[in-house]
Amino acid sequence: MAAGAVCSAALAALTAVPAQAQEPEHRAPHWELKDTGASGVRFRGLSAVSRDTAWVAGTGGTVLRTTDGGASWRNVSPPGASDLQFRDIEAFDARRAVVLAIGEGEASRVYRTDDGGVTWTESFRNTDTKAFYDCLTFFDRRHGLAVSDPVDGKFRILSTGDGGRSWKVLPGDGMPAALDGEAGFAASGQCLVASGPSDVWLATGGGARARVLHSADRGLTWTAGDTPVPVGDPAKGVFALAFRDRTHGLAVGGDYRPDQSSPRAAARTADGGRTWQPAAEPPSAYRSGAAWLPHSRTAALAVGPTGTDLTTDGGRTWHTVDTGSYDTVDCTPDLGCWAAGEQGRVARLEL
């Protein structure tokens, strides 16, 4: 059966019967937890390479890698990084990956490995006390960007053209002024996402409006579009983006504080982020990660500390399909969807 047909059949099963109501041998597609052996780590960085290979990055400078579908995990953390907080990782295959540590000043760093994490090279260390890097993304195996919260009134963009081996700060001339209090969220590695060879989007919150900034030239010039996601507080805004092509995208977020509600916490665009429409039925709570299902033009997942939501109509309506806690989610063309979060939780979607 073709991958697209498999995905369609799996989606039908996913929305048909709650997994807990079925016998194990007849369960619908569901998250299957994988034992990482890292219960004290929160994994907000995730990069799925395939159904077999995935990388996760988190607190305590921890990086793990699996090449057997999560049956076993190898601790490939960079040496001397135990004080760092890894929030994003981008892997090109089972051997090559780039990981971002977040924080003020020199806490923001980038490392790269070419041998599956046996050795790492620190390729960037922030020396500007006003900068705080949140997320990174790649267009291809060579070209990528990282984003810092505003410095001197504008978001700062870091660029690489050699796969993360070296970085340079891009000129800020093409970046619109940041709103008062506006920032990115280092919650899932998905506040900066790319699609295709040159398009990239940046999600924001904390200001008077939750915005999505778009660049069509790899970060040199940007335009800003307002979203209907509520803001007006440092804890509110758009936390994650997912684009299936250069025009169709999803935004999820809300208020990350567990005692606060998150109404209208999802939106969608069909024009590359120029305009955004609120979901008619948004997720029931704050969501920090999102990913389109492979081989589908209308299905996507959103995850957060209180559960996973599924849309099958391009983000118009969302329905909770799991109540497990996850911070981030990523999918691959071979139907390899992975999620990661607190207490060392990593799961693969079993179809």
Side-chain angles (χ1 to χ4, degrees):
M1 184 181 293
V6 171
C7 185
S8 298
L11 289 173
L14 186 61
T15 56
V17 184
Q20 62 268 26
Q22 302 180 27
E23 295 299 324
E25 63 268 26
H26 300 298
R27 292 186 68 185
H30 60 281
W31 290 122
E32 182 176 286
L33 282 168
K34 307 295 183 179
D35 184 8
T36 63
S39 60
V41 179
R42 187 163 195 165
F43 292 118
R44 294 185 185 269
L46 165 67
S47 186
V49 177
S50 68
R51 278 188 60 79
D52 292 328
T53 300
W55 301 65
V56 290
T59 53
T62 306
V63 178
L64 304 184
R65 184 195 64 157
T66 182
T67 56
D68 56 12
S72 63
W73 295 84
R74 180 181 176 188
N75 188 329
V76 294
S77 306
S82 60
D83 292 334
L84 300 179
Q85 306 297 311
F86 289 137
R87 295 291 182 91
D88 199 355
I89 187 166
E90 301 292 332
F92 308 116
D93 50 40
R95 297 182 59 80
R96 292 171 287 186
V98 179
V99 65
L100 171 72
I102 62 100
E104 297 179 351
E106 293 192 5
S108 285
R109 306 179 193 180
V110 178
Y111 295 82
R112 177 180 166 112
T113 182
D114 289 293
D115 54 15
V118 175
T119 61
W120 293 85
T121 300
E122 181 183 311
S123 58
F124 172 77
R125 182 180 298 205
N126 174 51
T127 57
D128 190 332
T129 58
K130 295 178 290 185
F132 186 117
Y133 286 86
D134 299 301
C135 299
L136 59 84
T137 190
F138 276 83
F139 304 96
D140 52 42
R141 290 173 179 260
R142 294 181 55 83
H143 301 91
L145 302 176
V147 62
S148 164
D149 287 339
V151 176
D152 299 328
K154 292 184 176 181
F155 285 94
R156 175 169 290 180
I157 302 298
L158 198 65
S159 174
T160 180
D162 56 12
R165 296 178 178 87
S166 64
W167 298 83
K168 65 178 181 180
V169 175
L170 293 181
D173 300 348
M175 176 65 71
L179 305 176
D180 290 343
E182 190 176 27
F185 292 107
S188 60
Q190 295 178 315
C191 69
L192 185 73
V193 300
S195 180
S198 58
D199 286 279
V200 60
W201 295 265
L202 165 62
T204 80
R209 305 184 304 278
R211 303 195 297 175
V212 173
L213 281 64
H214 171 237
S215 171
D217 55 12
R218 293 183 181 169
L220 293 177
T221 59
W222 297 78
T223 57
D226 293 341
T227 77
V229 176
V231 278
D233 186 280
K236 297 179 180 179
V238 177
F239 281 71
L241 299 169
F243 275 79
R244 65 173 174 82
D245 53 41
R246 67 189 310 266
T247 57
H248 297 88
L250 303 170
V252 300
D255 189 325
Y256 69 76
R257 295 171 294 190
D259 60 339
Q260 299 294 315
S261 62
S262 293
R264 294 181 287 131
R268 57 190 174 87
T269 181
D271 58 12
R274 288 190 294 274
T275 61
W276 293 83
Q277 292 75 47
E281 296 180 34
S284 59
Y286 155 73
R287 295 293 180 252
S288 55
W292 289 91
L293 271 291
H295 310 290
S296 174
R297 297 175 62 83
T298 57
L301 296 170
V303 301
T306 62
T308 299
D309 293 283
L310 170 73
T311 179
T312 57
D313 54 15
R316 293 173 178 82
T317 61
W318 295 85
H319 306 282
T320 301
V321 294
D322 185 89
T323 57
S325 176
Y326 300 104
D327 292 311
T328 186
V329 60
D330 194 19
C331 294
T332 62
D334 66 344
L335 307 180
C337 286
W338 296 79
E342 62 183 341
Q343 299 178 348
R345 288 170 59 90
V346 178
R348 190 179 68 177
L349 190 66
E350 296 302 322
L351 302 178

